[in-house]
Amino acid sequence: MTEPTLPVVSSSPPELSVAAVLGLSDKGDVEWARLRGLQYSSLAKIAFYRVFSHALLAVFVALIYLDSVGFIGIGVWMALLAAVHMRGYRIDVALADTQRRRITRGELNRQTKTAVMSALVWAGAIAGFPYFGTDGDLMALLMIVALMVAGSVFFYTAAPIGILCFSAIISAAAMIPLGMDGYWLAMVAVVLMLVATIVGTIEVGRTYLTARMAEAMVTEKEEVVSLLLREFEENEADWLWQVDPSRRLRAVSPRFAFALGRSQESIEGCPLLEMIAGSKWESGQFPPSMHDLAERLKNRENFSNLLVQVSILGEERWWELSGTPMRDEQGRFLGFRGVGSDVTEQRNSSEKIAYLARYDTLTQLPNRLQLTETLGEALRYAAQWRSRCALLMVDLDRFKSVNDSLGHLTGDKLLAQVSARLQSLMGENQLCGRLGGDEFAIVIREVNSPTMVRDLAERVIQRLTEPYQVDHHTLYVGASVGSAEGPRDGYSVEELMRNADLALYQAKDMGGGEHCRFEPALHASAEERRSLEVALRKALGRNEMLLHYQPVVDARSESVVGFEALVRWNSKEHGFVSPAKFIPLAEDTRLIVPIGKWVMRKACEEARNWPDHIKINVNVSPEQLLEPGFHGDVVEALAASGLRPERLEIEVTESIFLRDATVARTALEQVMALGCSVALDDFGTGYSSLGYLRKLRFSTIKVDRTFVQGAAQGSKESLAIINAVVAMASSLDMTTTAEGVETVEEADLIRNLGCDKIQGFYFGRPMLAEDARKLFQIVRELRA
């Protein structure tokens, strides 16, 4: 809801100085033109009484001096006084609306002139009339003047500067006849009277003005509350609700009636729970959230942001309600009042993102996170009841050739059919999921017979070996299966998965289409790994590692904004080794730590050869991130290369949260403190830690290529997920990078979906450092 722009209202009136009370200062924390308006707006109410009081006192003076001064003198004097006060009356009445507008300096001066002119007319009478009368007449005149001054102090407090001017002139005039007649004590009394008048005027004026300011603040606060309530009511997503002690709706707002799909008159006095329960009211089969709401209302408890499943005109919706009990001054319960909003769309989006965290979008199967959770539960059950569980790792044979020959789109469709066949083979206590790529896993919660694992593995191989029809192509792929049983082959999830993976390697080495159980004597795959490990330990010393750089472009301008550094290994013994093969090995043996440190340093050094706005993205493995010296490695690489931290972006995968999430978060926060940014790679393909998206201020979320290609095929789920990720990233002030963009159609689609950056073969394959520099040289030549 958009917040209105409102005046800031102080909680209490400020302390007023003498100058502020008199209107002589325009400085301070209060808007002084408005302050004068509050002060002088009440003059209109007493304007008539002021004219009447002066007229009445003038009549008394006339009665005293009419015989001695004469009719003409008294008449002229009273005419002048009347003219002055008629002018003042018009000015005072014109100030009636200054409480709602700004009073001008001219208006303030004109009002003060009225007081001065009135004082001068009275001073003429005080100074002149006593020459024609007796001392008794003078005393009577002075009593009238004293009454007039005292009355002004207490009844004309809205214009203190006018009172002071009037009193000073009158007092000066009164001392003239007293001084000429030698009434020195009387003169002193007049001076004391003037001092008391000044002090009284200032204090009474301060009290009056403070009270007026307090009234204005209360009024402003009431206006603020009214404005907020009015805007809240006008917002299309929120409403106010109120029920009486019997939980019947009262004072139904238009917006609440609209949310219920009914008119205000038809639901006034109806039970709240009946209105939102729909058809479930008759059966009494309420969702748990409805019972929770009813319990809160029954117990007269405050509740806030309570999610309630409601039924509105047959449609299931989700509301978020907050409520507070109402009580009168005697503490009697009057009902509930609260606010609510329809959060159905937000909840649906959250459910989609939550689905993304636990399921593989391409195949609709559980992802690695859900598989590992299920396997952990199976191991705990087996340990408790001394039973057995099993894990089967399934890898497709010849799938790479399908991808290479027919493209990734056909490969993805094939994976979808494979997942459907696997799902059809699952029985009770069995769960299959996708680990990534063409690798699947099956968890058997309880192994009931010695041949159960073997029989299931054979059915999987047989079923997945049958031909597939994909886009008018008949495809043949096989499957290899490796299995391990718990707790015999491992007591933990990691151990069991590793041993099943070793068995799978053995099955692949046997030519595929085979099932291999894990055995301690399994050496074939382990020997290969050992050989690679030995070579990998020497790779850095032999300068066998090199970096390739894949460009990352701006989705709108298609200009290069960065490069992702990709490590490659050209071994003297094994030749070119695929990253998919040696990087997992490096992580298992912790060789990824020195390799990652080398990659960080070399990538930063090469980035110094690029324009200042180009970023370098460096992948960091969980093993490297959890090293105590990781922060120091980043500092060392930046210092040695002279690269500004803002140009380095660390890329991490969701697997960092599978181990010590606290250490990982601390390490990333230290890197961010340096000024580097952090990107979350392959979002949605593994452990999607939505909580850490909020806690860790990632700069970028990288959308996995499977979603990009699914969206290009028109998959509603992929489109919805990309939209959800883009919206989530935007709300968290993050950017999005789409990976695996290979065609112009995919690039246009991703651009229209709102992704900020694009990476893929369409814009550039991974290239050597020299080729990356040539890109900038070509750009400079074209500009020249």
Side-chain angles (χ1 to χ4, degrees):
M1 182 172 64
T2 304
E3 293 187 359
T5 302
L6 301 171
V8 178
V9 183
S10 302
S11 59
S12 61
E15 184 68 26
L16 298 173
S17 64
V18 174
V21 174
L22 299 179
L24 301 177
S25 171
D26 291 335
K27 299 178 180 179
D29 295 330
V30 181
E31 189 182 359
W32 294 112
R34 178 92 186 278
L35 188 61
R36 301 282 79 74
L38 292 174
Q39 200 172 23
Y40 282 79
S41 60
S42 62
L43 291 178
K45 299 178 182 178
I46 61 172
F48 172 77
Y49 299 105
R50 186 176 70 151
V51 173
F52 178 78
S53 62
H54 276 267
L56 183 62
L57 294 175
V59 169
F60 279 117
V61 172
L63 291 175
I64 295 172
Y65 286 102
L66 183 60
D67 294 335
S68 57
V69 176
F71 181 80
I72 296 176
I74 293 296
V76 171
W77 176 75
M78 294 186 70
L80 288 173
L81 190 63
V84 168
H85 283 281
M86 288 306 296
R87 172 185 178 275
Y89 177 81
R90 289 194 298 271
I91 292 174
D92 288 350
V93 171
L95 297 177
D97 62 343
T98 55
Q99 187 172 1
R100 298 183 300 275
R101 65 176 177 84
R102 295 173 180 271
I103 188 172
T104 65
R105 175 63 67 178
E107 289 176 314
L108 185 62
N109 292 338
R110 284 195 296 273
Q111 203 286 328
T112 304
K113 287 179 182 178
T114 299
V116 173
M117 293 168 62
S118 175
L120 291 175
V121 174
W122 277 100
I126 296 170
F129 288 179
Y131 289 104
F132 303 98
T134 64
D135 290 345
D137 296 338
L138 175 60
M139 293 301 109
L141 176 61
L142 292 178
M143 290 179 63
I144 291 173
V145 170
L147 177 63
M148 184 165 49
V149 171
S152 299
V153 171
F154 293 100
F155 298 104
Y156 204 58
T157 55
I161 186 66
I163 298 174
L164 293 186
C165 293
F166 182 85
S167 301
I169 295 173
I170 292 294
S171 299
M175 286 190 285
I176 294 174
L178 291 175
M180 296 189 66
D181 292 340
Y183 294 117
W184 309 114
L185 292 178
M187 290 179 64
V188 173
V190 170
V191 172
L192 294 176
M193 177 71 177
L194 177 60
V195 172
T197 299
I198 294 173
V199 174
T201 299
I202 293 173
E203 291 305 317
V204 173
R206 179 182 286 118
T207 302
Y208 171 80
L209 187 54
T210 302
R212 294 288 291 163
M213 289 170 62
E215 292 175 5
M217 290 175 186
V218 171
T219 302
E220 287 184 5
K221 288 180 180 178
E222 292 175 351
E223 291 174 355
V224 169
V225 173
S226 299
L227 181 58
L228 286 173
L229 289 175
R230 184 166 60 254
E231 179 159 332
F232 186 85
E233 275 293 291
E234 292 172 356
N235 186 282
E236 64 180 25
D238 302 274
W239 60 80
L240 300 173
W241 62 272
Q242 182 176 328
V243 295
D244 60 18
S246 59
R247 286 172 261 174
R248 294 181 178 272
L249 293 170
R250 300 299 179 194
V252 177
S253 65
R255 185 58 57 191
F256 187 33
F258 177 79
L260 287 170
R262 305 169 186 269
S263 65
Q264 292 176 257
E265 296 78 12
S266 64
I267 59 177
E268 183 72 29
C270 294
L272 170 64
L273 296 179
E274 180 180 350
M275 290 294 97
I276 62 178
S279 59
K280 299 183 180 68
W281 180 257
E282 299 296 334
S283 64
Q285 301 297 319
F286 303 136
S289 59
M290 190 81 71
H291 284 289
D292 193 10
L293 173 62
E295 195 67 19
R296 302 290 182 91
L297 295 175
K298 177 182 176 181
N299 296 334
R300 301 176 181 179
E301 299 175 354
N302 285 319
F303 55 91
S304 178
N305 302 326
L306 180 66
L307 280 176
V308 181
Q309 185 179 358
V310 301
S311 178
I312 306 300
L313 302 180
E315 181 183 3
E316 296 298 320
R317 310 287 295 178
W318 283 93
W319 284 4
E320 187 176 78
L321 298 176
S322 299
T324 303
M326 298 184 297
R327 301 185 185 277
D328 60 16
E329 295 179 355
Q330 285 74 39
R332 289 190 296 265
F333 177 67
L334 302 178
F336 268 87
R337 177 183 292 145
V339 297
S341 60
D342 191 317
V343 295
T344 307
E345 300 302 326
Q346 297 93 312
R347 183 175 176 84
N348 289 341
S349 297
S350 299
E351 287 178 350
K352 282 187 175 294
I353 296 176
Y355 178 88
L356 171 64
R358 302 181 64 81
Y359 286 88
D360 177 71
T361 309
L362 175 63
T363 62
Q364 312 304 317
L365 294 178
N367 62 8
R368 182 182 293 271
L369 170 63
Q370 191 169 349
L371 283 168
T372 54
E373 288 179 347
T374 304
L375 183 57
E377 293 171 1
L379 283 170
R380 287 190 291 272
Y381 181 86
Q384 180 180 0
W385 299 103
R386 297 185 179 181
S387 59
R388 292 181 297 156
C389 63
L391 173 67
L392 284 71
M393 304 281 275
V394 182
D395 191 79
L396 300 183
D397 301 329
R398 301 179 298 279
F399 177 76
K400 185 176 184 298
S401 62
V402 174
N403 260 350
D404 293 341
S405 59
L406 300 178
H408 292 296
L409 296 181
T410 302
D412 289 345
K413 292 180 181 179
L414 175 59
L415 289 176
Q417 292 191 26
V418 169
S419 65
R421 293 186 182 186
L422 279 175
Q423 189 68 35
S424 67
L425 296 173
M426 294 301 101
E428 186 178 1
N429 289 326
Q430 296 175 357
L431 176 74
C432 68
R434 184 186 179 206
L435 296 175
D438 61 343
E439 192 173 8
F440 298 82
I442 300 172
V443 177
I444 305 178
R445 296 185 179 89
E446 187 173 7
V447 178
N448 298 322
S449 68
T451 62
M452 184 178 185
V453 175
R454 184 190 64 196
D455 293 343
L456 178 59
E458 290 176 354
R459 290 199 305 271
V460 167
I461 294 172
Q462 179 183 355
R463 186 75 177 92
L464 297 187
T465 305
E466 296 175 3
Y468 299 83
Q469 296 295 325
V470 180
D471 292 340
H472 309 293
H473 298 286
T474 301
L475 305 177
Y476 294 90
V477 295
S480 300
V481 180
S483 64
E485 295 185 14
R488 185 193 68 186
D489 300 328
Y491 291 95
S492 67
V493 171
E494 293 80 7
E495 188 179 3
L496 205 61
M497 293 185 75
R498 182 172 60 250
N499 291 340
D501 208 23
L502 285 174
L504 177 61
Y505 283 140
Q506 176 65 17
K508 298 286 283 187
D509 288 342
M510 293 168 62
E514 298 287 344
H515 165 233
C516 183
R517 293 176 54 187
F518 172 77
E519 297 176 1
L522 196 61
H523 296 298
S525 59
E527 179 60 29
E528 180 189 6
R529 285 170 57 86
R530 189 198 64 79
S531 177
L532 282 175
E533 180 183 344
V534 172
L536 189 60
R537 291 185 182 278
K538 302 175 183 178
L540 286 178
R542 293 176 176 178
N543 292 323
E544 295 176 352
M545 293 291 180
L546 69 156
L547 290 183
H548 285 186
Y549 302 90
Q550 185 174 26
V552 179
V553 304
D554 183 87
R556 300 298 173 190
S557 64
E558 296 191 356
S559 60
V560 177
V561 296
F563 283 91
E564 180 177 359
L566 303 170
V567 64
R568 299 291 184 259
W569 180 25
N570 189 9
S571 171
K572 292 180 180 179
E573 292 91 355
H574 304 279
F576 181 80
V577 183
S578 168
K581 199 167 189 179
F582 78 80
I583 288 181
L585 176 60
E587 289 180 338
D588 287 342
T589 57
R590 294 187 58 78
L591 289 172
I592 194 67
V593 175
I595 293 174
K597 185 176 180 180
W598 176 86
V599 169
M600 181 84 65
R601 185 176 68 254
K602 295 296 290 185
C604 291
E605 289 175 358
E606 180 59 32
R608 285 282 291 159
N609 299 317
W610 304 337
D612 287 342
H613 67 282
I614 301 299
K615 279 193 171 187
I616 180 65
N617 293 29
V618 178
N619 291 283
V620 174
S621 76
E623 292 290 339
Q624 187 181 358
L625 187 66
L626 296 177
E627 276 290 299
F630 174 71
H631 173 260
D633 293 341
V634 176
V635 173
E636 181 181 339
L638 292 172
S641 63
L643 187 72
R644 288 186 293 107
E646 294 79 11
R647 296 182 59 193
L648 175 61
E649 184 165 73
I650 302 297
E651 289 193 15
V652 296
T653 61
E654 300 162 326
S655 59
I656 64 171
F657 303 115
L658 280 174
R659 295 179 61 183
D660 196 333
T662 303
V663 175
R665 178 183 175 185
T666 301
L668 291 178
E669 287 175 345
Q670 289 176 338
V671 170
M672 294 177 186
L674 294 175
C676 303
S677 53
V678 178
L680 184 60
D681 198 5
D682 298 336
F683 179 71
T685 61
Y687 177 79
S688 299
S689 182
L690 301 179
Y692 279 95
L693 281 181
R694 177 175 58 85
K695 295 178 182 177
L696 282 173
R697 303 304 299 175
F698 291 101
S699 62
T700 302
I701 297 178
K702 303 191 77 172
V703 181
D704 190 70
R705 57 176 294 275
T706 56
F707 305 140
V708 174
Q709 293 168 357
Q713 296 175 34
S715 168
K716 292 183 179 179
E717 290 298 326
S718 294
L719 287 169
I721 288 170
I722 294 177
N723 277 321
V725 171
V726 170
M728 178 178 62
S730 177
S731 66
L732 295 174
D733 294 329
M734 302 176 188
T735 60
T736 49
T737 300
E739 296 182 301
V741 176
E742 300 181 356
T743 65
V744 64
E745 291 81 9
E746 291 177 356
D748 292 338
L749 174 63
I750 288 302
R751 188 180 296 112
N752 293 332
L753 287 175
C755 285
D756 303 293
K757 292 172 285 188
I758 304 178
Q759 182 179 354
F761 287 175
Y762 175 70
F763 291 101
R765 293 176 177 270
M767 61 189 71
L768 294 172
E770 293 79 9
D771 297 328
R773 293 179 210 162
K774 288 178 183 178
L775 287 180
F776 303 116
Q777 183 178 353
I778 293 172
V779 171
R780 286 194 296 269
E781 290 176 354
L782 289 175
R783 289 179 178 173

